[in-house]
Amino acid sequence: MSENNKSVVARWFKEFWGNPWNPQVIDELATADIVVHYPMHEPKRGRAEVMNFMTEFREAFPDLNFWGVGDLIADGDYVVGRWEGGGTHTGPAFSDFRLGSIPAASGRKMRFAGTTVLRVQQGRIAEELGQEDALTAMLQLGLIRLPGHDAAMQRSAESAR
């Protein structure tokens, strides 16, 4: 069963979080009452909320892409995966962050990592509970400011050129 669950999660990671994304994967692999929760966002419950969230997230960040790093670990109904990813905000304003909204086409880039625990129920994703490096993402998007951070980011960007 663990290997089957790992296959379900691998497909979910690729088609739901990857780029390009496959919106049909929500109906194909999510339970009707799926819960997706990451601290940066309010929990999403049910296929419709999950679809709406991802549609808006991808409209705001058209190059949004997350990918697994390392092997998936499975035990019974649970699969754990580590990931990295991000995107550039070139689309409409996005207000789904708990710490605030970003205006349309801010041009801000976010790149961060996290770990997710998924519960698979009868071959479908029932829960996706993640912990991400929200501080890094919120700093990059300008939703949090630390003293001296903006100057350090500017120096880093200039030295990368």
Side-chain angles (χ1 to χ4, degrees), residues 93-133:
F94 188 70
S95 61
D96 194 76
F97 295 119
R98 286 183 175 205
L99 293 178
S101 301
I102 52 178
S106 70
R108 294 213 174 236
K109 295 176 188 282
M110 62 177 181
R111 171 109 186 208
F112 59 101
T115 302
T116 301
V117 177
L118 299 101
R119 184 171 56 86
V120 180
Q121 181 179 1
Q122 298 176 348
R124 291 178 174 257
I125 307 292
E127 286 181 301
E128 177 174 349
L129 306 173
Q131 289 294 320
E132 75 274 270
D133 185 3

Side-chain angles (χ1 to χ4, degrees), residues 65-79:
N65 189 19
F66 293 93
W67 55 91
V69 295
D71 294 333
L72 294 173
I73 300 167
D75 187 10
D77 293 340
Y78 293 91
V79 179

